Amino acid sequence: MTVGWIGTGKVRAREDGEAVEIVIDGLTTQAKYYKPLVYEFMRKEWASRPSWGDHVVEIRMEHVGEPPWMDLDNLAKALLDSIKGYLFHDDSQVARLLVERREGERERITIRSYPRRA
């Protein structure tokens, strides 16, 4: 069951079955910019409790034109730090992590997290 979007600013999120999807509009080359932005959204607007067990996290950065000069590993670390304690208790629970950059229709970052099934 898909629940409507929460949030009206640069960050919004929704639950889609067991998965949580977070969308961040816009891009910057500073990965550290995203940690407080997403953390504040989760702290103020996200009501669900974190869960235990292994999780899959997929992070997709979409850009228009030339890709921004950003290390994807730094982006992933900032985003994982911002959602831990809200979607899962600790980032050691991330059993599978996919981080990709690709051309899209607009500049944004999408995070999708869900429990890993055996």
Side-chain angles (χ1 to χ4, degrees), residues 5-71:
W5 290 101
I6 297 168
T8 56
K10 284 186 160 279
V11 181
R12 59 192 188 286
R14 69 177 176 179
E15 291 183 87
D16 184 7
E18 290 188 316
V20 173
E21 186 174 19
I22 301 168
V23 175
I24 308 156
D25 290 328
L27 290 179
T28 177
T29 58
Q30 298 296 312
K32 63 185 178 185
Y33 163 82
Y34 296 105
K35 184 176 179 178
L37 180 71
V38 176
Y39 173 81
E40 283 302 306
F41 168 83
M42 298 303 285
R43 188 177 70 80
K44 292 178 180 177
E45 300 195 43
W46 194 251
S48 297
R49 296 253 188 228
S51 60
W52 293 103
D54 286 346
H55 281 71
V56 175
V57 178
E58 300 167 351
I59 300 170
R60 183 175 60 244
M61 179 181 71
E62 294 180 58
H63 61 88
V64 176
E66 290 295 314
W69 193 259
M70 181 190 326
D71 292 337

Side-chain angles (χ1 to χ4, degrees), residues 69-83:
W69 193 259
M70 181 190 326
D71 292 337
L72 289 181
D73 60 324
N74 293 337
L75 176 65
K77 182 63 178 155
L79 294 173
L80 288 174
D81 284 348
S82 68
I83 62 175

Side-chain angles (χ1 to χ4, degrees), residues 69-111:
W69 193 259
M70 181 190 326
D71 292 337
L72 289 181
D73 60 324
N74 293 337
L75 176 65
K77 182 63 178 155
L79 294 173
L80 288 174
D81 284 348
S82 68
I83 62 175
K84 83 176 170 195
Y86 296 98
L87 302 186
F88 40 80
H89 293 276
D90 188 79
D91 53 6
S92 66
Q93 291 175 253
V94 177
R96 181 172 184 262
L97 175 63
L98 172 67
V99 185
E100 68 176 336
R101 177 184 66 224
R102 68 179 188 191
E103 194 159 352
E105 295 178 12
R106 67 175 128 173
E107 295 187 334
R108 68 178 161 201
I109 295 172
T110 304
I111 306 165

